[in-house]
PDB file of all heavy atoms in Angstrom:
ATOM      1  N   SER A 126     113.725  45.620  99.392  1.00  0.00           N
ATOM      2  CA  SER A 126     112.616  46.268  98.709  1.00  0.00           C
ATOM      3  C   SER A 126     112.943  47.737  98.457  1.00  0.00           C
ATOM      4  O   SER A 126     113.802  48.327  99.118  1.00  0.00           O
ATOM      5  CB  SER A 126     111.345  46.142  99.547  1.00  0.00           C
ATOM      6  OG  SER A 126     111.537  46.732 100.818  1.00  0.00           O
ATOM      7  N   GLN A 127     112.252  48.327  97.499  1.00  0.00           N
ATOM      8  CA  GLN A 127     112.477  49.723  97.132  1.00  0.00           C
ATOM      9  C   GLN A 127     111.139  50.439  97.103  1.00  0.00           C
ATOM     10  O   GLN A 127     110.192  49.985  96.457  1.00  0.00           O
ATOM     11  CB  GLN A 127     113.139  49.807  95.755  1.00  0.00           C
ATOM     12  CG  GLN A 127     113.339  51.234  95.262  1.00  0.00           C
ATOM     13  CD  GLN A 127     113.765  51.287  93.807  1.00  0.00           C
ATOM     14  OE1 GLN A 127     113.536  50.354  93.053  1.00  0.00           O
ATOM     15  NE2 GLN A 127     114.399  52.390  93.412  1.00  0.00           N
ATOM     16  N   VAL A 128     111.050  51.547  97.816  1.00  0.00           N
ATOM     17  CA  VAL A 128     109.836  52.354  97.812  1.00  0.00           C
ATOM     18  C   VAL A 128     109.891  53.278  96.598  1.00  0.00           C
ATOM     19  O   VAL A 128     110.787  54.106  96.473  1.00  0.00           O
ATOM     20  CB  VAL A 128     109.688  53.177  99.107  1.00  0.00           C
ATOM     21  CG1 VAL A 128     108.394  53.974  99.081  1.00  0.00           C
ATOM     22  CG2 VAL A 128     109.720  52.268 100.326  1.00  0.00           C
ATOM     23  N   LEU A 129     108.919  53.112  95.698  1.00  0.00           N
ATOM     24  CA  LEU A 129     108.908  53.899  94.464  1.00  0.00           C
ATOM     25  C   LEU A 129     108.284  55.273  94.670  1.00  0.00           C
ATOM     26  O   LEU A 129     108.697  56.252  94.045  1.00  0.00           O
ATOM     27  CB  LEU A 129     108.126  53.146  93.385  1.00  0.00           C
ATOM     28  CG  LEU A 129     108.668  51.773  92.989  1.00  0.00           C
ATOM     29  CD1 LEU A 129     107.733  51.118  91.987  1.00  0.00           C
ATOM     30  CD2 LEU A 129     110.069  51.894  92.409  1.00  0.00           C
ATOM     31  N   ALA A 130     107.275  55.368  95.518  1.00  0.00           N
ATOM     32  CA  ALA A 130     106.585  56.631  95.759  1.00  0.00           C
ATOM     33  C   ALA A 130     105.864  56.543  97.094  1.00  0.00           C
ATOM     34  O   ALA A 130     105.371  55.472  97.469  1.00  0.00           O
ATOM     35  CB  ALA A 130     105.592  56.937  94.641  1.00  0.00           C
ATOM     36  N   ALA A 131     105.808  57.662  97.810  1.00  0.00           N
ATOM     37  CA  ALA A 131     105.201  57.667  99.140  1.00  0.00           C
ATOM     38  C   ALA A 131     104.090  58.704  99.226  1.00  0.00           C
ATOM     39  O   ALA A 131     104.102  59.713  98.512  1.00  0.00           O
ATOM     40  CB  ALA A 131     106.265  57.945 100.196  1.00  0.00           C
ATOM     41  N   ASN A 132     103.140  58.430 100.115  1.00  0.00           N
ATOM     42  CA  ASN A 132     102.047  59.361 100.421  1.00  0.00           C
ATOM     43  C   ASN A 132     101.231  59.725  99.182  1.00  0.00           C
ATOM     44  O   ASN A 132     101.015  60.900  98.880  1.00  0.00           O
ATOM     45  CB  ASN A 132     102.617  60.624 101.086  1.00  0.00           C
ATOM     46  CG  ASN A 132     103.357  60.316 102.366  1.00  0.00           C
ATOM     47  OD1 ASN A 132     102.833  59.674 103.267  1.00  0.00           O
ATOM     48  ND2 ASN A 132     104.611  60.744 102.443  1.00  0.00           N
ATOM     49  N   VAL A 133     100.809  58.699  98.465  1.00  0.00           N
ATOM     50  CA  VAL A 133      99.995  58.915  97.266  1.00  0.00           C
ATOM     51  C   VAL A 133      98.559  58.485  97.541  1.00  0.00           C
ATOM     52  O   VAL A 133      98.297  57.635  98.396  1.00  0.00           O
ATOM     53  CB  VAL A 133     100.554  58.136  96.051  1.00  0.00           C
ATOM     54  CG1 VAL A 133     101.964  58.597  95.734  1.00  0.00           C
ATOM     55  CG2 VAL A 133     100.544  56.638  96.305  1.00  0.00           C
ATOM     56  N   ASP A 134      97.638  59.093  96.819  1.00  0.00           N
ATOM     57  CA  ASP A 134      96.219  58.773  96.977  1.00  0.00           C
ATOM     58  C   ASP A 134      95.732  57.781  95.928  1.00  0.00           C
ATOM     59  O   ASP A 134      94.862  56.964  96.205  1.00  0.00           O
ATOM     60  CB  ASP A 134      95.392  60.070  96.876  1.00  0.00           C
ATOM     61  CG  ASP A 134      95.753  61.069  97.960  1.00  0.00           C
ATOM     62  OD1 ASP A 134      95.330  60.870  99.107  1.00  0.00           O
ATOM     63  OD2 ASP A 134      96.481  62.038  97.659  1.00  0.00           O
ATOM     64  N   VAL A 135      96.298  57.866  94.716  1.00  0.00           N
ATOM     65  CA  VAL A 135      95.878  57.012  93.603  1.00  0.00           C
ATOM     66  C   VAL A 135      97.109  56.458  92.906  1.00  0.00           C
ATOM     67  O   VAL A 135      98.089  57.188  92.693  1.00  0.00           O
ATOM     68  CB  VAL A 135      95.010  57.795  92.587  1.00  0.00           C
ATOM     69  CG1 VAL A 135      94.720  56.945  91.355  1.00  0.00           C
ATOM     70  CG2 VAL A 135      93.716  58.260  93.235  1.00  0.00           C
ATOM     71  N   VAL A 136      97.067  55.171  92.572  1.00  0.00           N
ATOM     72  CA  VAL A 136      98.115  54.556  91.760  1.00  0.00           C
ATOM     73  C   VAL A 136      97.530  54.258  90.386  1.00  0.00           C
ATOM     74  O   VAL A 136      96.658  53.393  90.245  1.00  0.00           O
ATOM     75  CB  VAL A 136      98.639  53.251  92.388  1.00  0.00           C
ATOM     76  CG1 VAL A 136      99.713  52.624  91.486  1.00  0.00           C
ATOM     77  CG2 VAL A 136      99.202  53.504  93.775  1.00  0.00           C
ATOM     78  N   PHE A 137      97.966  55.000  89.368  1.00  0.00           N
ATOM     79  CA  PHE A 137      97.553  54.736  88.002  1.00  0.00           C
ATOM     80  C   PHE A 137      98.459  53.647  87.418  1.00  0.00           C
ATOM     81  O   PHE A 137      99.668  53.840  87.293  1.00  0.00           O
ATOM     82  CB  PHE A 137      97.645  55.997  87.138  1.00  0.00           C
ATOM     83  CG  PHE A 137      96.578  57.008  87.408  1.00  0.00           C
ATOM     84  CD1 PHE A 137      96.902  58.293  87.827  1.00  0.00           C
ATOM     85  CD2 PHE A 137      95.235  56.692  87.243  1.00  0.00           C
ATOM     86  CE1 PHE A 137      95.923  59.235  88.072  1.00  0.00           C
ATOM     87  CE2 PHE A 137      94.235  57.625  87.482  1.00  0.00           C
ATOM     88  CZ  PHE A 137      94.577  58.898  87.903  1.00  0.00           C
ATOM     89  N   VAL A 138      97.874  52.517  87.091  1.00  0.00           N
ATOM     90  CA  VAL A 138      98.602  51.432  86.448  1.00  0.00           C
ATOM     91  C   VAL A 138      98.390  51.589  84.942  1.00  0.00           C
ATOM     92  O   VAL A 138      97.278  51.406  84.443  1.00  0.00           O
ATOM     93  CB  VAL A 138      98.111  50.060  86.927  1.00  0.00           C
ATOM     94  CG1 VAL A 138      98.857  48.948  86.196  1.00  0.00           C
ATOM     95  CG2 VAL A 138      98.285  49.925  88.432  1.00  0.00           C
ATOM     96  N   VAL A 139      99.448  51.948  84.224  1.00  0.00           N
ATOM     97  CA  VAL A 139      99.335  52.263  82.802  1.00  0.00           C
ATOM     98  C   VAL A 139      99.795  51.077  81.969  1.00  0.00           C
ATOM     99  O   VAL A 139     100.893  50.552  82.160  1.00  0.00           O
ATOM    100  CB  VAL A 139     100.180  53.513  82.445  1.00  0.00           C
ATOM    101  CG1 VAL A 139      99.937  53.914  80.993  1.00  0.00           C
ATOM    102  CG2 VAL A 139      99.851  54.674  83.383  1.00  0.00           C
ATOM    103  N   THR A 140      98.953  50.647  81.044  1.00  0.00           N
ATOM    104  CA  THR A 140      99.313  49.596  80.094  1.00  0.00           C
ATOM    105  C   THR A 140      98.795  49.993  78.727  1.00  0.00           C
ATOM    106  O   THR A 140      97.661  50.466  78.599  1.00  0.00           O
ATOM    107  CB  THR A 140      98.740  48.230  80.523  1.00  0.00           C
ATOM    108  OG1 THR A 140      99.103  47.242  79.566  1.00  0.00           O
ATOM    109  CG2 THR A 140      97.231  48.270  80.666  1.00  0.00           C
ATOM    110  N   SER A 141      99.601  49.850  77.708  1.00  0.00           N
ATOM    111  CA  SER A 141      99.181  50.267  76.368  1.00  0.00           C
ATOM    112  C   SER A 141      98.446  49.134  75.656  1.00  0.00           C
ATOM    113  O   SER A 141      98.754  47.958  75.844  1.00  0.00           O
ATOM    114  CB  SER A 141     100.388  50.718  75.539  1.00  0.00           C
ATOM    115  OG  SER A 141     101.394  49.730  75.519  1.00  0.00           O
ATOM    116  N   VAL A 142      97.466  49.513  74.849  1.00  0.00           N
ATOM    117  CA  VAL A 142      96.618  48.516  74.194  1.00  0.00           C
ATOM    118  C   VAL A 142      97.195  48.154  72.820  1.00  0.00           C
ATOM    119  O   VAL A 142      96.637  48.457  71.766  1.00  0.00           O
ATOM    120  CB  VAL A 142      95.163  49.024  74.085  1.00  0.00           C
ATOM    121  CG1 VAL A 142      94.488  48.976  75.439  1.00  0.00           C
ATOM    122  CG2 VAL A 142      95.110  50.444  73.532  1.00  0.00           C
TER     123      VAL A 142
END
Side-chain angles (χ1 to χ4, degrees):
S126 59
Q127 177 190 22
V128 182
L129 299 176
N132 301 307
V133 299
D134 299 284
V135 173
V136 179
F137 286 120
V138 178
V139 186
T140 179
S141 53
V142 286

